[in-house]
Amino acid sequence: MKDIYIYLENGTFLKAKSFGAEGTEVGEIVFNTSMTGYQEIATDPSYAGQFVTFTAPEIGNVGVNENDNESTKVHCKGVFARAYNDDYSNFRGEKSFSELLKENGTLGICDIDTRYLTKMLRDSGAMMMIASTEIDNIEELKLLLDSSPRIEDINYIEQVSTTQSYIHKNGAWNMSTMSYNKAVMSDKKVVVVDFGVKRNILNELVEAGLEVEVVPSSFQAEDLIQRYESNEIGGIFLSNGPGDPLTLSNEKIEVQKLIEKNIPMFAICLGHQMLSIAHGHDTYKLKFGQHGGNHPVKNSKNVVEITAQNHNYNVPDSIANIAELTHINLFDNTIEGVKYKNKPIFSVQHHPEASPGPHESKYIFKEFADSIK
């Protein structure tokens, strides 16, 4: 393992070991509290532009495999691990985590105190950083970091969204057959606007009985409205994605056009935030975000669900003026879900597809399917 050097914008300078690709990368550092799922996290498009600090101490011990990818590649800038294990042991493992990172040009950083990093981010908030296997001079690293654009200045949606429309036919994972359930013919078709959609979200939409077509983030609202009015599609889903939603000015205009037509819509994470912005209620940035698989959320029936989270931005309390609050985060009382008044539109901030257990939120996909004619 080569040495790798890390400089954070608060002046912290660290040295560690590299187990991924070599090079120099700039991004925002966050921490994730999930105890499993490092492959799913690394391949989640919502992490584009970020370094992810794993709080689980042992990373790599089950390897990786094609079926657990949430997209076609690794999207984060790099990952931090307290201890990395290159020798994996899992009957489903196909290669090591370091091989996956190297194939995708992603930095892997280990032999570092991730508890120290997590506490720093908890106290100081998410921040920009630079990591390099090539540069060991603190002043040079600082100069490069200071001259690089911040994550909120970059439209990562353009990098992670599909460029061509396609049909998704896989349903939920079937452990008994070690494969995905295939879609059955459905007369309920929805369009997924891809801001960086996770594969398992598409799987759950199919599993709920929907025919799923995925379109680029550069969609034209007029096209979708025409297809809805001609009964070709019955609804629209706005996906998760990376970056600051306030930078998506063109997408905001298109979503506003969809809202005006009262088309049934469901959204998760960034899509949830886009609906809020399109309704005139701008999002705000959380101190260190919510990233993990153990967040308790109370729904409108006063039932507590355990949810997976991955977001740095949140919708404001003012959204309650135009929407019913359906989900609240019990860690910090932030808004986790809304249903807009007098409209067939609802959304959640958390990820109901992620299966954190034991009481989950997958029923939301069925509710969306039931709302589609």
Side-chain angles (χ1 to χ4, degrees):
M1 292 186 184
K2 293 189 65 173
D3 290 338
I4 188 166
Y5 301 89
I6 304 103
Y7 179 79
L8 282 69
E9 66 176 319
N10 67 351
T12 301
F13 179 63
L14 301 166
K15 176 183 175 182
K17 292 295 182 181
S18 167
F19 69 90
E22 297 181 12
T24 303
E25 293 288 351
V26 173
E28 181 181 54
I29 179 172
V30 298
F31 64 87
N32 186 294
T33 58
S34 297
M35 291 294 100
T36 60
Y38 57 80
Q39 179 184 348
E40 290 89 337
I41 292 166
T43 56
D44 181 349
S46 294
Y47 280 110
Q50 294 180 318
F51 286 86
V52 183
T53 302
F54 294 120
T55 57
E58 301 288 336
I59 298 295
N61 49 343
V62 294
V64 299
N65 66 84
E66 177 62 30
N67 283 320
D68 287 348
N69 285 335
E70 286 287 6
S71 65
T72 57
K73 59 176 288 188
V74 175
H75 292 278
C76 59
K77 293 282 188 173
V79 298
F80 285 88
R82 175 65 188 91
Y84 170 69
N85 302 280
D86 203 51
D87 294 327
Y88 59 91
S89 177
N90 187 331
F91 74 101
R92 296 180 65 234
E94 297 170 352
K95 56 188 171 185
S96 69
F97 189 34
S98 73
E99 288 180 275
L100 179 66
L101 296 181
K102 290 174 181 176
E103 290 170 0
N104 288 271
T106 307
L107 300 181
I109 304 165
C110 65
D111 291 356
I112 192 168
D113 190 344
T114 51
R115 178 176 291 182
Y116 166 76
L117 286 174
T118 301
K119 287 182 176 181
M120 179 194 303
L121 296 173
R122 178 196 64 190
D123 296 338
S124 301
M127 65 185 77
M128 296 297 291
M129 60 156 282
I130 184 171
S132 179
T133 59
E134 307 162 319
I135 304 168
D136 60 4
N137 182 276
I138 185 172
E139 294 302 326
E140 188 175 352
L141 290 171
K142 182 179 185 302
L143 183 62
L144 282 173
L145 178 60
D146 291 343
S147 61
S148 298
R150 300 183 64 82
I151 190 169
E152 56 265 26
D153 298 327
I154 303 173
N155 186 342
Y156 279 105
I157 303 298
E158 296 174 346
Q159 299 181 22
V160 303
S161 177
T162 182
T163 58
Q164 300 290 331
S165 300
Y166 64 92
I167 303 297
H168 183 86
K169 294 185 177 181
N170 284 336
W173 178 255
N174 188 331
M175 281 297 293
S176 63
T177 61
M178 303 303 292
S179 63
Y180 289 102
N181 298 328
K182 295 298 180 180
V184 295
M185 293 300 293
S186 172
D187 59 355
K188 293 184 175 185
K189 184 172 184 177
V190 296
V191 166
V192 172
V193 178
D194 179 14
F195 295 129
V197 69
K198 293 170 63 179
R199 177 190 289 176
N200 209 37
I201 288 178
L202 301 179
N203 294 345
E204 291 298 338
L205 290 170
V206 170
E207 195 71 12
L210 297 170
E211 182 181 349
V212 174
E213 177 184 348
V214 185
V215 301
S217 62
S218 57
F219 76 101
Q220 297 297 307
E222 287 82 1
D223 294 339
L224 299 187
I225 292 169
Q226 183 179 16
R227 296 178 66 185
Y228 173 72
E229 292 179 342
S230 63
N231 293 320
E232 181 185 343
I233 62 174
I236 296 170
F237 174 82
L238 305 181
S239 85
N240 62 294
D244 185 347
L246 291 178
T247 65
L248 307 178
S249 54
N250 292 335
E251 292 83 352
K252 169 187 171 181
I253 294 172
E254 299 305 308
V255 171
Q256 286 175 329
K257 294 176 183 177
L258 298 176
I259 292 171
E260 291 171 0
K261 294 297 181 178
N262 273 343
I263 300 174
M265 280 194 283
F266 171 42
I268 289 175
C269 203
L270 180 82
H272 163 78
Q273 297 159 11
M274 285 299 303
L275 284 173
S276 176
I277 294 169
H279 277 92
H281 296 261
D282 287 351
T283 54
Y284 65 96
K285 189 169 186 177
L286 297 166
K287 183 177 180 180
F288 47 78
Q290 296 171 334
H291 313 274
N294 59 346
H295 289 241
V297 167
K298 184 173 71 172
N299 64 30
S300 57
K301 297 179 181 179
N302 286 326
V303 175
V304 176
E305 305 164 11
I306 301 302
T307 70
Q309 306 267 345
N310 177 24
H311 60 105
N312 273 5
Y313 300 87
N314 221 75
V315 304
D317 292 342
S318 63
I319 198 72
N321 295 329
I322 61 169
E324 172 194 350
L325 304 187
T326 59
H327 297 78
I328 297 294
N329 190 305
L330 296 181
F331 278 161
D332 59 5
N333 290 319
T334 53
I335 296 171
E336 287 285 346
V338 299
K339 184 181 186 306
Y340 289 89
K341 297 175 182 178
N342 303 316
K343 294 178 182 176
I345 301 173
F346 65 101
S347 61
V348 293
Q349 181 62 72
H350 54 278
H351 284 265
E353 83 289 346
S355 304
H359 302 292
E360 301 171 346
S361 311
K362 288 186 179 182
Y363 65 87
I364 296 175
F365 293 103
K366 184 65 166 58
E367 288 183 356
F368 179 50
D370 290 344
S371 73
I372 301 300
K373 295 181 181 179

